[in-house]
Amino acid sequence: MLFQINNTLLKNTDRLNQCIEKLSTGMQINAPKDNAANYNIMTDLSIQLSSLDVVEDNISNGMDYLNTSSNLLEQTLHILSRIKDLALAASNEIYGADSLSAIQQEINHCVDQISQIQTSADYNDIKLFRFTSGKLVFIVELI
């Protein structure tokens, strides 16, 4: 949807540029009396362009929001991969009690890191994640 809006923005920008080109080559419309129909078109395009600038800003904010969330999820995935590696190593039954204790401490540290990422993750003071019924939920809010 964001890309459709962006494409519409680009098409309307092209049309506005064409109108500006006509104006810069001598077709001047400064008031409705010059050419009422074209003046109305120019006014409508100016309003659309102004609206599309706001849409472009909103799309940019949305993309930043998603990039921030994606980066945090990638960090979490990397930590989960490390936990998996540690669990596999511990299941080999070649480690003594001290080594298994060290592995468990590292796993606990990894879990704490994930918890810290998820509880402190925000964008513009909007929390990105929350836990509901023991599940991690990605929050999408209008900003």
Side-chain angles (χ1 to χ4, degrees):
M1 182 172 153
L2 294 176
F3 296 109
Q4 289 174 328
I5 293 169
N6 194 30
N7 285 337
T8 302
L9 172 66
L10 292 175
K11 287 177 187 175
N12 286 331
T13 302
D14 287 341
R15 286 193 297 187
L16 181 63
N17 286 337
Q18 289 171 358
C19 288
I20 290 171
E21 183 179 330
K22 286 179 184 179
L23 290 174
S24 67
T25 60
M27 289 185 62
Q28 217 171 22
I29 304 169
N30 296 322
K33 68 178 182 174
D34 296 334
N35 186 330
N38 286 343
Y39 181 79
N40 189 34
I41 292 169
M42 184 186 75
T43 303
D44 288 345
L45 285 174
S46 294
I47 290 169
Q48 276 187 336
L49 185 61
S50 177
S51 299
L52 292 174
D53 284 341
V54 172
V55 169
E56 185 177 28
D57 289 343
N58 288 342
I59 290 171
S60 178
N61 286 340
M63 297 292 275
D64 290 343
Y65 181 88
L66 291 174
N67 285 336
T68 300
S69 300
S70 176
N71 290 337
L72 292 169
L73 288 172
E74 284 180 29
Q75 287 178 5
T76 302
L77 184 60
H78 178 72
I79 295 169
L80 288 171
S81 177
R82 178 64 182 150
I83 290 173
K84 176 186 165 196
D85 292 344
L86 291 169
L88 287 173
S91 69
N92 285 338
E93 299 180 4
I94 59 171
Y95 294 104
D98 291 340
S99 295
L100 290 175
S101 176
I103 289 173
Q104 184 60 51
Q105 285 178 350
E106 187 173 347
I107 289 173
N108 291 343
H109 178 70
C110 288
V111 170
D112 290 343
Q113 281 182 316
I114 291 172
S115 178
Q116 201 273 330
I117 288 171
Q118 305 310 327
T119 57
S120 66
D122 67 13
Y123 178 83
N124 261 355
D125 296 328
I126 298 171
K127 290 290 184 193
L128 299 177
F129 307 102
R130 73 167 174 255
F131 287 96
T132 303
S133 302
K135 296 180 181 176
L136 179 64
V137 178
F138 176 65
I139 300 172
V140 178
E141 292 184 14
L142 295 176
I143 49 176

